[in-house]
Amino acid sequence: MCMICFTEALEAAPAIQLKCHHVFHSHCVRNVLSKRWVGPRITFGFSLCPICKATIDHPVLRDLLKPIQELFEDVRRKAMMRLEYEGLHKAEAITTPGARFFQDPAGFAMDRYAYYVCYKCNKAYYGGEARCEEQAGAVEEYDPQELVCGGCSDVSRAQVCPKHGTDFLEYKCRYCCSVAVFFCFGTTHFCNACHDDFQRITNIPKLELPRCPAGPRGKLMDGDECPLHVKHPPTGEEFALGCGVCRNAHTF
């Protein structure tokens, strides 16, 4: 049986043997690669062999694998740059023998940070740490057209970074102190959690929104320090955080 569809024997349709030597229906592999990841956050588990988890590779799949590899390299580059600028390229998770990401800083960076594909420029952009998305819960339904990077959704004419341009331009969620992921109505930036609860949260009067530090879904956080480590307008207003890489370089 094909270990992807589990419905037909391998001899029932054209099959291919991947570089890792496992065999699947050709159309099943192509379907997996075409659908890509589930949910808004970029993940690359779909590009691994379902049996041994080696990277899927075969000459007849190159038309699908090339853009996936290019996206992987883009996410890897941006995640590594952020890791180094945050001073975490020598974290214990990387330098401790036996740790999950021992001597694998790229794997650690891509696991730590959440990236999304901008609907307009088709580039990967940062949307906060992955653990924040996990705490907020999975986004089951979303409109890909609302996934827009800071550069393509610049509604407040943020200053362009002379070093990185708009590639790392980030916005604050209008309703909490989190990095924005979604851009909706052509005017409003949301983090994952606030976007998931937008019908309620957008109807809260501005004066009743929590002050900084504001947590996702309009909840006031303990303490006085903003998680973003920046001074910004009151909750309920749009605010460009600026170049994410340079901003982090100034905080450690």
Side-chain angles (χ1 to χ4, degrees), residues 132-162:
C132 297
E133 181 184 78
E134 293 169 357
Q135 292 172 358
V139 180
E140 296 180 359
E141 296 183 6
Y142 71 99
D143 183 355
Q145 296 185 42
E146 295 178 346
L147 291 173
V148 185
C149 69
C152 292
S153 63
D154 188 4
V155 294
S156 62
R157 298 181 180 179
Q159 184 176 357
V160 176
C161 175

Side-chain angles (χ1 to χ4, degrees), residues 7 9 14 16 21-22 33 59 83 86 93 118 177 184 193:
T7 57
I16 56 174
H21 304 302
H22 291 117
L33 295 177
L83 192 74
E86 288 189 0
C118 176
C177 300
C184 306

Side-chain angles (χ1 to χ4, degrees), residues 42 71 74 78 116-125 142-156 166-167 169 171 181-189:
I42 301 172
L71 179 62
D74 187 34
K78 291 176 178 177
Y116 305 81
V117 171
C118 176
Y119 183 81
K120 293 187 176 182
C121 67
N122 208 37
K123 294 181 180 179
Y125 69 96
Y142 71 99
D143 183 355
Q145 296 185 42
E146 295 178 346
L147 291 173
V148 185
C149 69
C152 292
S153 63
D154 188 4
V155 294
S156 62
T166 60
D167 283 351
L169 179 60
Y171 268 81
V181 173
F182 291 91
F183 181 59
C184 306
F185 324 123
T187 58
T188 309
H189 287 89

Side-chain angles (χ1 to χ4, degrees), residues 39-185:
R41 181 193 171 195
I42 301 172
T43 56
F44 293 96
F46 72 94
S47 64
L48 305 179
C49 170
I51 297 176
C52 69
K53 303 306 177 183
T55 301
I56 291 175
D57 190 10
H58 192 281
V60 302
L61 303 172
R62 294 293 163 79
D63 60 317
L64 293 173
L65 293 174
K66 183 178 179 181
I68 293 171
Q69 183 60 33
E70 290 175 348
L71 179 62
F72 178 87
E73 292 300 330
D74 187 34
V75 172
R76 181 183 182 280
R77 176 181 64 84
K78 291 176 178 177
M80 279 297 296
M81 186 178 295
R82 183 173 293 274
L83 192 74
E84 292 180 12
Y85 270 65
E86 288 189 0
L88 296 175
H89 57 293
K90 294 183 179 180
E92 291 184 4
I94 302 170
T95 58
T96 304
R100 179 184 173 191
F101 294 104
F102 178 56
Q103 296 185 339
D104 182 18
F108 175 66
M110 294 176 71
D111 182 73
R112 180 181 179 87
Y113 305 124
Y115 284 85
Y116 305 81
V117 171
C118 176
Y119 183 81
K120 293 187 176 182
C121 67
N122 208 37
K123 294 181 180 179
Y125 69 96
Y126 176 70
E129 294 191 9
R131 61 181 178 180
C132 297
E133 181 184 78
E134 293 169 357
Q135 292 172 358
V139 180
E140 296 180 359
E141 296 183 6
Y142 71 99
D143 183 355
Q145 296 185 42
E146 295 178 346
L147 291 173
V148 185
C149 69
C152 292
S153 63
D154 188 4
V155 294
S156 62
R157 298 181 180 179
Q159 184 176 357
V160 176
C161 175
K163 184 176 182 180
H164 303 109
T166 60
D167 283 351
F168 297 91
L169 179 60
E170 296 168 358
Y171 268 81
K172 171 188 170 294
C173 173
R174 179 180 287 198
Y175 297 98
C176 75
C177 300
S178 302
V179 176
V181 173
F182 291 91
F183 181 59
C184 306
F185 324 123

